[in-house]
Amino acid sequence: MPRSPVIIVTGASKGIGLAVTSILLNRFNTSVVTLSRTITSELRDLASDRLLTLECDVANESAVVESVNKTLEKYHHIDGLVLNAAILEPICRIGDDTPISAWKDHFDVNFFSLVTSVKAALPSLRTSELGGKIVFVSSGAAVKGFPGWGPYNASKAAMNSLCRTLAEEEPSVTSVALRPGIVNTAMQTAIRDQGAAKAMGAGHQAFIELHAKGSLLKPEDPGHVIAGLSVQCPKELSGQFVNWNDDVCKPFMSASS
């Protein structure tokens, strides 16, 4: 009987990451290691012999490497990464007085942590007899230019580029970037905050209306697809940027999506 996969999920304390963790444990019977700055009560409620929760700031390179080592000590394998940890801040205009240091802090979380995580896990992913897989949780912002989201737009575009390059350099590992849609998470709450209105301009109202109309996705909607791809992603998707509800993702969607 084949062993169960071991998947690392970053940004797992809430939102999409929490949903992915729950789905991996309950639908796919995997072992999961979560990395998050805090361990929320919702994450604690998922307690299982197959769940290892680690407090880890993904912007801290040594902490990420230590977390990967702890994963190997406990489960002896790493078969997949779900790179979900991200921040939106600073919401700003390129030409305003936001210091470059704020942009650099953003990239430490949204981009350089990806490189750190991938480099640390690659030796195990390459040798996984189940086939190593990496799911980059991206955004439509990667291919758009939302006003006020300069750092976020740029970091998600860089994420997609990293995914494409990794697919070329590491053919034994399947890497895919996924747009999860507009999901009802804390990030959306921050977007609707009135403090964001000035930087975002006319686009700000659209996000308020989406929420008011009940048009936001539940985290579990893309969560099922992300979880499925981290375990069973087809090789032909490597290097691609897909939408959570594309035809190629439908086999992984929940029946209620």
Side-chain angles (χ1 to χ4, degrees):
M1 183 176 179
R3 64 176 177 82
S4 63
V6 179
I7 311 294
I8 294 176
V9 181
T10 70
S13 64
K14 56 190 176 183
I16 292 174
L18 180 68
V20 170
T21 299
S22 177
I23 293 161
L24 283 170
L25 289 169
N26 296 308
R27 179 179 172 187
F28 291 96
N29 199 38
T30 65
S31 296
V32 183
V33 179
T34 63
L35 277 58
S36 54
R37 284 179 294 180
T38 59
I39 299 176
T40 58
S41 59
E42 293 86 353
L43 185 54
R44 292 186 195 279
D45 287 345
L46 298 178
S48 162
D49 290 341
R50 292 183 289 106
L51 176 63
L52 175 62
T53 56
L54 300 175
E55 286 192 15
C56 176
D57 176 358
V58 294
N60 183 325
E61 182 178 356
S62 61
V64 171
V65 171
E66 182 181 357
S67 295
V68 168
N69 289 337
K70 286 180 178 178
T71 301
L72 292 171
E73 288 171 9
K74 184 171 178 65
Y75 296 118
H76 312 296
H77 302 275
I78 298 172
D79 304 294
L81 295 180
V82 174
L83 298 175
N84 170 71
I87 58 174
L88 179 64
E89 299 77 17
I91 298 175
C92 62
R93 292 271 174 154
I94 296 168
D96 69 16
D97 59 359
T98 301
I100 287 296
S101 59
W103 286 65
K104 291 180 177 180
D105 288 345
H106 177 99
F107 265 73
D108 280 342
V109 175
N110 283 27
F111 181 71
F112 291 113
S113 74
L114 308 176
V115 181
T116 301
S117 300
V118 169
K119 286 171 72 73
L122 259 179
S124 297
L125 293 170
R126 287 176 184 141
T127 58
S128 168
E129 78 277 16
L130 304 179
K133 297 171 181 64
I134 303 175
V135 181
F136 294 87
V137 181
S138 188
S139 168
V143 292
K144 297 181 181 179
F146 289 115
W149 291 13
Y152 190 77
N153 296 337
S155 66
K156 290 301 184 180
M159 168 188 268
N160 286 11
S161 179
L162 182 67
C163 176
R164 292 192 299 270
T165 305
L166 191 61
E168 295 291 336
E169 293 184 355
E170 300 289 340
S172 66
V173 177
T174 303
S175 302
V176 64
L178 179 134
R179 175 186 173 271
I182 303 177
V183 185
N184 192 11
T185 64
M187 186 175 288
Q188 280 295 313
T189 303
I191 290 168
R192 293 192 303 273
D193 186 85
Q194 287 303 311
K198 182 177 180 181
M200 291 179 62
H204 182 255
Q205 185 61 32
F207 287 94
I208 293 175
E209 290 175 2
L210 282 170
H211 179 257
K213 293 176 181 177
S215 299
L216 299 179
L217 296 170
K218 301 187 298 293
E220 291 77 14
D221 291 334
H224 277 278
V225 177
I226 293 165
L229 290 173
S230 74
V231 177
Q232 301 171 349
C233 185
K235 194 67 183 174
E236 58 267 25
L237 292 186
S238 199
Q240 293 192 34
F241 177 41
V242 299
N243 292 311
W244 78 277
N245 59 351
D246 281 347
D247 285 346
V248 293
C249 294
K250 286 183 177 175
F252 306 107
M253 294 171 66
S254 70
S256 61
S257 294

